[in-house]
Amino acid sequence: SAAGEIMNLAAEKLAENGISLSYHNHTHEFLPIGNSCGYNFIFEHAPLLNMQLDVGHAYAAHQAPEQWIKRYSDRIKTVHYKDVVFIDGVRRDYPIGEGKVNWKAVTAEIKKTGCEYIIVEHEEFIRDAWDICKTSYNNIVNFLKD
C-alpha cells in the first residue's frame, strides 16, 4: 500500500526527532479489499507506524476492536474510547459503558499494551456533556480495575 509506505517514511523521519506517529481510524478503513481491508494494508506496509484505534469506529464497522488491539498490541501508545449504539441503523454515541462495545474485552487487551493514554472521544451528546464525561470516566476506572 502506497499510503502505508508514505506513512512509514514519515514515521521514520519523526522518530529521528523522538516523535512517534500514530494513525487514527474511521469506519471506512475497514471496508473490505479482497480478503482484507485498508487498515490492514496500511499497517502491513508501515512497520514503524503506531495504531491509535478508535474503538467506536471499529465497532461501527462491525469489527471486534479487542482483536485489532491484540493483533497490534506492540504498536499502541494511545487509544480512542468511544461507545456506540445503532438506532434504526444510525450510529449514535453513548457514554463509555452504556453502548454496545465490549469494554471488558477491549480494556483487558489495552492493559496488555504499552498504551499511555486513553482518550475519550464523544461526538454526539444525548444528555448533559458533564454527565457524559463523569459517567465515561467512572466506567473506564472500573474497567481498568478488572
Side-chain angles (χ1 to χ4, degrees), residues 95 98 125-138:
E98 291 186 6
F125 299 94
I126 60 168
R127 62 180 189 257
D128 178 71
W130 291 113
D131 181 57
I132 290 171
C133 289
K134 180 180 175 187
T135 300
S136 295
Y137 173 81
N138 288 336

Side-chain angles (χ1 to χ4, degrees), residues 62-76:
H62 308 292
Q63 300 291 310
E66 64 274 12
Q67 293 303 315
W68 285 93
I69 295 165
K70 185 175 186 174
R71 184 180 310 155
Y72 291 102
S73 63
D74 60 331
R75 296 166 71 175
I76 295 178

Side-chain angles (χ1 to χ4, degrees), residues 7 20-24 43 49-52 75 77-78:
M7 284 188 239
S20 64
L21 180 63
S22 296
Y23 186 82
H24 172 96
F43 285 95
L49 183 66
N50 289 306
M51 176 179 285
Q52 184 186 71
R75 296 166 71 175
K77 296 185 183 304
T78 61

